[in-house]
Amino acid sequence: MAVHSNRALLLALFSLLLCSVHGQLSNNFYKKTCPNVQSIVRSVMTQVVAKEPRMGASILRLFFHDCFVQGCDASILLDDTATFTGEKNAGPNANSVRGYEVIDAIKTQVEASCNATVSCADIVALAARDSVNLLGGPTWNVPLGRRDAKTASQSEANSNLPGPDSNLAKLISMFGSKGFTPREMTALSGAHTIGQTRCQLFRNRIFNEANIDSSFAAMRQQTCPQTGGDNNLAPIDVQSPTTFDNAYYVNLVNKKGLFHSDQELFNGGSQDNLVQRYSQDANLFAKDFAKAMVKMSNLSPLTGNNGEIRLNCRKVN
Ligand code: HEM
């Protein structure tokens, strides 16, 4: 008996040690300390997305831009101050990333229910998952237990996030440096089945590129002229911009990708077959996307005694 309980104790200690060494996240991290956190996030996101479906897209992108810079640590949420330069004004984020106030609203409700317990990084990960699901996409279990960064990196935000003019080799290498396979990169790009973008980011494609459907280009040119209208918006997915489906890939097969980088995934290169398959098999895409999102949500989290639980997502405690 004594031998058994000693062994059990040793095993428990060993697995604790393993957890702290690997800084592992877990699905039930807040089970005892904040059992309502998932339902709070879900209910705020339900209201937000019902009022403005695009906000679901914006929150998904916010999560991506957080995770690719220092890992999923809510570094993107820190406001610039006189003495601190954060990520919000980096090229890919300035006048572009939206939804900061939605995260604030969720945080306020979570703090009211469980003070100083749930990280901003976990809130963003849950809100992104709910956004996809509320717009008709898949759902997945979000591993939890991230802590919030006390630092941010404007230079990493400028160098780690892909631009809309990227070619296929660049996309593969940028995602590869974060540990993603080309297949996972192509699946994650399917996020462009929702949301909107500004004329200045796709003007060159609709006026100067050859591998574009001509009636699609003409339609986009109506609200995105050669000069002016830089900030005019267009849906990235011409078919169903507020539904998380596989229409993005159908568009690519039909040469209706809006960004140069989108169409690079179906332009005679290594991802053509996969794009074709996703365009014909919505379930395969949904499954691959959910898996790749869990992988993204595991990028370099702060755990244990690293980082902190921020009280206000916009500033360090
Ligand atoms: C593959 C490389 C990618 C490139 C080059 C890229 C580029 C862009 C650009 C330029 C915009 C428009 C920004 C603006 O108009 O201000 C955008 C929007 C968006 N991106 Fe990406 N992106 C990529 C991958 C991803 C990934 C992996 C996700 C999420 C998993 C994502 C989610 C989104 C969403 C949802 C929007 C619309 C946001 C909104 O309506 O507010 N993108 N992306």
Side-chain angles (χ1 to χ4, degrees):
M1 190 64 187
V3 173
H4 267 124
S5 59
N6 272 345
R7 195 195 275 167
L9 191 69
L10 267 176
L11 260 176
L13 276 174
F14 184 65
S15 55
L16 251 179
L17 189 74
L18 266 186
C19 270
S20 60
V21 168
H22 290 285
Q24 279 169 349
L25 303 174
S26 74
N27 288 331
N28 52 9
F29 190 81
Y30 298 113
K31 197 173 173 193
K32 294 230 166 72
T33 55
C34 195
N36 293 334
V37 60
Q38 305 223 19
S39 56
I40 295 170
V41 175
R42 181 79 181 192
S43 88
V44 176
M45 286 313 300
T46 302
Q47 291 167 33
V48 164
V49 170
K51 199 168 146 212
E52 189 202 356
R54 184 193 172 190
M55 192 53 82
S58 303
I59 296 292
L60 174 60
R61 181 162 186 251
L62 189 154
F63 179 57
F64 165 50
H65 283 209
D66 182 32
C67 293
F68 264 50
V69 179
Q70 293 191 170
C72 311
D73 61 357
S75 55
I76 193 174
L77 301 180
L78 293 172
D79 280 342
D80 283 8
T81 68
T83 54
F84 178 85
T85 303
E87 294 162 18
K88 288 183 174 174
N89 287 311
N93 295 337
N95 299 319
S96 183
V97 166
R98 309 168 72 241
Y100 299 116
E101 66 293 338
V102 171
I103 303 302
D104 290 338
I106 300 174
K107 177 68 170 172
T108 300
Q109 287 207 24
V110 171
E111 283 298 306
S113 190
C114 349
N115 182 242
T117 304
V118 178
S119 65
C120 300
D122 278 344
I123 288 173
V124 175
L126 289 169
R129 184 268 312 267
D130 287 343
S131 294
V132 169
N133 188 236
L134 286 164
L135 292 172
T139 191
W140 55 88
N141 286 322
V142 178
L144 298 169
R146 296 167 194 77
R147 291 165 65 82
D148 298 321
K150 298 180 191 174
T151 62
S153 175
Q154 188 177 70
S155 63
E156 258 191 63
N158 279 321
S159 60
N160 286 5
L161 295 164
D165 298 327
S166 308
N167 65 21
L168 182 59
K170 172 100 178 160
L171 295 172
I172 289 176
S173 88
M174 286 188 93
F175 279 74
S177 68
K178 295 285 169 192
F180 292 98
T181 64
R183 179 180 176 130
E184 288 166 338
M185 180 276 292
T186 296
L188 287 171
S189 299
H192 288 173
T193 183
I194 52 174
Q196 304 201 14
T197 184
R198 293 166 297 153
C199 166
Q200 59 182 305
L201 298 172
F202 59 84
R203 177 183 285 123
N204 187 56
R205 169 148 173 78
I206 61 172
F207 283 101
N208 301 322
E209 296 195 346
N211 63 346
I212 188 167
D213 176 89
S214 56
S215 60
F216 173 65
M219 179 174 73
R220 284 286 161 266
Q221 287 168 10
Q222 285 177 4
T223 53
C224 181
Q226 286 271 23
T227 50
D230 280 7
N231 293 318
N232 291 357
L233 291 174
I236 310 181
D237 170 5
V238 59
Q239 295 187 65
S240 49
T242 58
T243 305
F244 197 100
D245 55 18
N246 66 337
Y248 168 79
Y249 300 100
V250 178
N251 296 335
L252 297 188
V253 169
N254 293 324
K255 299 188 180 172
K256 294 179 183 176
L258 188 55
F259 294 132
H260 175 83
S261 54
D262 289 329
Q263 198 61 55
E264 278 288 293
L265 302 179
F266 190 85
N267 191 34
S270 64
Q271 300 305 292
D272 278 27
N273 276 339
L274 183 59
V275 167
Q276 193 107 46
R277 280 177 72 198
Y278 286 158
S279 76
Q280 290 161 353
D281 190 342
N283 287 331
L284 178 68
F285 162 57
K287 232 179 80 196
D288 281 6
F289 183 81
K291 250 180 96 177
M293 284 298 291
V294 172
K295 183 164 174 178
M296 188 157 92
S297 79
N298 280 319
L299 284 175
S300 315
L302 295 167
T303 56
N305 294 323
N306 296 120
E308 63 181 10
I309 304 298
R310 254 180 242 154
L311 296 177
N312 174 344
C313 292
R314 293 174 182 267
K315 51 184 196 188
V316 296
N317 291 341

